[in-house]
């Protein structure tokens, strides 16, 4: 697959699926801003080149050779992820969350 390299057409996609402008900006503003800077179209298959570079560079962690690695906690400062999930998103996917404090009290 190829990624959409145009901010304007990506914005059209978000609007076509019914996202309000405010939500588009708060959830995907970083992506639209990056595309405005001229991200090239790209796509293809992943061959694990980053892992090979890690081995060749004699690094212990793949995060040492990736341009935008996640932290050890799985967070990303570039995209502010993970972020809070809206209740409507959970409902759309038929998911529920459990409160860890309530679960611990049951034990």
């Amino acid at each position: 697959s190829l990624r959409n390299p145009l901010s304007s057409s990506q914005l059209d996609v978000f609007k076509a699926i019914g996202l309000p402008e405010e939500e588009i900006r708060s959830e995907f503003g970083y992506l639209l801003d990056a595309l405005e800077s001229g991200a090239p179209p790209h796509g293809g298959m992943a061959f694990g080149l980053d892992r090979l570079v890690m081995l060749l560079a004699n690094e212990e962690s793949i995060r040492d050779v990736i341009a935008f690695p996640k932290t050890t906690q799985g967070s990303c400062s570039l995209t502010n992820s993970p972020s809070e999930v809206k209740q409507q998103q959970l409902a759309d996917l038929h998911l529920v969350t459990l409160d860890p404090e309530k679960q611990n009290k049951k034990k």
Side-chain angles (χ1 to χ4, degrees):
S1 69
L2 292 176
R3 293 186 187 173
N4 181 355
L6 303 175
S7 179
S8 59
S9 58
Q10 186 63 59
L11 183 59
D12 290 342
V13 170
F14 289 140
K15 288 179 179 178
I17 62 173
L19 294 178
E21 184 79 31
E22 183 179 306
E23 185 176 350
I24 293 170
R25 281 284 153 203
S26 69
E27 299 288 329
F28 304 102
Y30 71 92
L31 173 64
L32 297 173
D33 292 343
L35 294 175
E36 281 293 323
S37 298
H42 60 284
M45 297 175 15
F47 295 106
L49 187 60
D50 46 8
R51 195 159 303 278
L52 177 61
V53 170
M54 178 195 78
L55 294 170
L56 292 173
N58 202 28
E59 295 291 344
E60 291 187 21
S61 172
I62 197 168
R63 289 188 302 275
D64 295 331
V65 297
I66 295 177
F68 299 104
K70 304 282 188 257
T71 66
T72 55
Q73 288 81 29
S75 64
C76 177
S77 59
L78 180 68
T79 61
N80 270 347
S81 64
S83 59
E84 190 171 320
V85 178
K86 294 181 178 72
Q87 288 301 313
Q88 185 59 49
Q89 291 172 311
L90 294 172
D92 290 345
L93 298 170
H94 305 286
L95 298 173
V96 295
T97 58
L98 302 176
D99 185 343
E101 290 181 19
K102 289 181 182 177
Q103 294 299 311
N104 289 334
K105 290 179 183 177
K106 290 181 180 180
K107 291 181 180 180

